[in-house]
Amino acid sequence: MSEHRFVESLPDLIEPAEYAEHPEGRLVRLRIEVSADGVRILGDAFRPAALEALLHELGGGPVEQMLCG
């Protein structure tokens, strides 16, 4: 199981204007950043459980999470 760290803010990858385009709530969006420090995967989803399952499968480190979006 991944370690969860609660943070004050994370970037929004899904804009409110997109909600109506995805009435079934299946949208998951990822941003992959590569730097000298390694790879960072940012994710946003209508259904957090779907995103958490995907991040768990990718593995590799702590998951930063906001308490409310």
Side-chain angles (χ1 to χ4, degrees):
M1 177 172 267
S2 299
E3 172 191 351
H4 285 252
R5 295 180 187 165
F6 294 103
V7 296
E8 198 170 306
S9 66
L10 290 168
D12 285 327
L13 302 181
I14 299 174
E15 299 295 326
E18 297 178 273
Y19 296 171
E21 298 170 19
H22 302 277
E24 294 180 8
R26 294 186 179 149
L27 181 62
V28 175
R29 186 160 291 147
L30 299 174
R31 179 189 303 161
I32 301 171
E33 299 176 353
V34 180
S35 71
D37 296 326
V39 176
R40 181 177 184 198
I41 300 171
L42 299 171
D44 200 351
F46 289 149
R47 298 182 183 181
L51 178 57
E52 287 184 20
L54 176 61
L55 293 173
H56 177 74
E57 287 297 316
L58 294 171
V63 174
E64 293 180 341
Q65 182 176 358
M66 290 176 45
L67 290 176
C68 60

